[in-house]
Amino acid sequence: MLATIRISSHIQAQGILVKRLANGMIVIRAGQKVLTGRPISKRVA
């Protein structure tokens, strides 16, 4: 499943969801990197 995270106030990344952490953050794999950040909610079009 694809997920989008916010790493800082200006940086976002999208990748494959690896796991959800207890503090509400999620871990994704983007290419060869593993990134942790706050999830961005899905917008209803």
Side-chain angles (χ1 to χ4, degrees):
M1 179 170 120
L2 280 178
T4 305
I5 61 171
R6 180 178 301 267
I7 299 171
S8 67
S9 60
H10 298 288
I11 301 173
Q12 297 177 359
Q14 187 174 39
I16 304 296
L17 177 66
V18 175
K19 64 181 174 179
R20 297 181 186 273
L21 303 177
N23 63 359
M25 298 178 89
I26 60 174
V27 178
I28 65 167
R29 179 174 301 278
Q32 295 181 349
K33 296 188 178 203
V34 176
L35 304 169
T36 304
R38 302 214 175 270
I40 296 176
S41 64
K42 295 180 181 177
R43 294 181 183 168
V44 178

